[in-house]
């Protein structure tokens, strides 16, 4: 199955990862992972913030980021689409 989305993958701790859409649901700007705050934040002026599961914390974004199940198996990351 092909994935028609660009992803951001972040390492939360040694064996825990997240995978979600790279682009903010409000526009075309990318989101960045902020480890200290455990959130994703848009790089745009509005700086929408999202929980690690893609849920909107603050806008202007009103739609969640698409999240993908991810797990570490041996030395590989498997993302379910």
């Amino acid at each position: 199955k092909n994935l028609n989305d660009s992803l951001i993958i972040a390492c939360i701790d040694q064996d825990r990862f997240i995978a979600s859409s790279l682009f903010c649901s409000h526009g075309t700007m990318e989101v960045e992972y902020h480890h200290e705050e455990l959130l994703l934040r848009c790089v745009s002026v509005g700086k929408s913030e999202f929980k690690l599961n893609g849920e909107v914390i603050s806008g202007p974004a009103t739609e969640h980021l698409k999240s993908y199940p991810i797990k570490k198996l041996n030395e590989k990351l498997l993302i379910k689409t």
Side-chain angles (χ1 to χ4, degrees):
K1 184 168 159 178
N2 289 330
L3 177 67
N4 294 323
D5 200 2
S6 295
L7 300 180
I8 182 169
I9 299 169
C11 181
I12 308 308
D13 58 41
Q14 186 174 354
D15 292 315
R16 199 168 130 225
F17 298 84
I18 61 155
S20 72
S21 177
L22 175 62
F23 297 103
C24 181
S25 58
H26 180 252
T28 59
M29 301 299 286
E30 295 180 357
V31 295
E32 297 177 328
Y33 171 60
H34 289 265
H35 185 72
E36 307 77 32
E37 301 167 85
L38 292 176
L39 59 78
L40 297 166
R41 182 179 293 131
C42 181
V43 299
S44 74
V45 175
K47 303 237 184 275
S48 295
E49 293 182 335
F50 303 87
K51 293 180 182 179
L52 297 181
N53 66 0
E55 237 180 273
V56 176
I57 297 171
S58 63
T62 57
E63 292 182 35
H64 301 325
L65 293 177
K66 183 162 173 113
S67 293
Y68 298 90
I70 184 171
K71 68 179 179 177
K72 185 176 179 183
L73 183 62
N74 299 320
E75 294 302 311
K76 296 180 182 177
L77 293 177
L78 303 174
I79 301 169
K80 187 170 183 161
T81 59

